Amino acid sequence: MEEANGAVGKTGPKNKKLKRGGWNLLVLGILSVLVAVTTTSVSLAIYHNSGDIYLDRSRPGYLPDEGEIEDDDTDVEYKMEKSGKIDMKVLEEYLENLDIEVKAIDSYDKPFGASALSNERLGIPTE
C-alpha cells in the first residue's frame, strides 16, 4: 500500500542512481586505461625512433659480456685489480696515485676553457 501512496520501492530512483554511478566508474576506468596505453605507446615510439634506445646502457641486452670486453693497452701507470682484498697497503697505493692525478688536473691553466676539450687533451688521434 505504501507504493500506491507514492513511496519509493526497490526499483525506484535510489537504485537507478547506484547503477548509474557504477556505470560512470566503469567508463572512467576504461578511459584512464586507454589514456595510459596511448601516452605510453607514443613515448616508447619517440624513444625508439629518436635512437635513444640504443644508448640506454642500463638494459641488460646492451651491456657487453665479460668476454667481449677487451683490456685497454693504454699507457696507464697504475691499474687497480678488479677484485681482491682491500688493506692499508692497497689503499695507500691508491691514494698516492690519486694525488698524482689530482695534481695533474690542478695544473691545468684553464680547466673550463675550450682547450680542455681539445683532441690532444682528450687523447683523440688526429690525422
Side-chain angles (χ1 to χ4, degrees):
M1 288 195 178
E2 290 180 19
E3 290 182 24
N5 293 334
V8 179
K10 289 186 177 181
T11 59
K14 281 187 177 180
N15 199 13
K16 283 184 180 180
K17 219 177 199 182
L18 290 176
K19 284 183 182 179
R20 186 163 184 192
W23 176 254
N24 288 342
L25 187 60
L26 179 68
V27 169
L28 179 65
I30 291 172
L31 286 177
S32 63
V33 168
L34 287 175
V35 167
V37 167
T38 303
T39 55
T40 303
S41 300
V42 168
S43 65
L44 284 175
I46 291 171
Y47 180 59
H48 183 268
N49 292 338
S50 68
D52 288 343
I53 191 169
Y54 302 109
L55 299 175
D56 191 358
R57 303 300 279 170
S58 64
R59 296 180 64 191
Y62 290 103
L63 293 175
D65 294 330
E66 289 209 17
E68 295 176 348
I69 299 174
E70 297 177 8
D71 289 334
D72 285 338
D73 291 336
T74 58
D75 289 339
V76 177
E77 294 177 15
Y78 176 71
K79 195 171 194 179
M80 286 196 68
E81 294 183 25
K82 292 182 181 178
S83 62
K85 214 173 186 184
I86 297 178
D87 55 4
M88 286 306 292
K89 181 183 173 190
V90 173
L91 187 59
E92 287 173 1
E93 184 182 353
Y94 171 74
L95 290 175
E96 287 173 11
N97 288 297
L98 181 65
D99 285 338
I100 293 170
E101 294 296 324
V102 168
K103 287 177 185 174
I105 292 171
D106 288 340
S107 69
Y108 292 152
D109 55 344
K110 292 182 181 179
F112 295 105
S115 64
L117 295 177
S118 68
N119 288 341
E120 294 142 2
R121 181 143 320 153
L122 294 175
I124 300 172
T126 57
E127 294 180 49

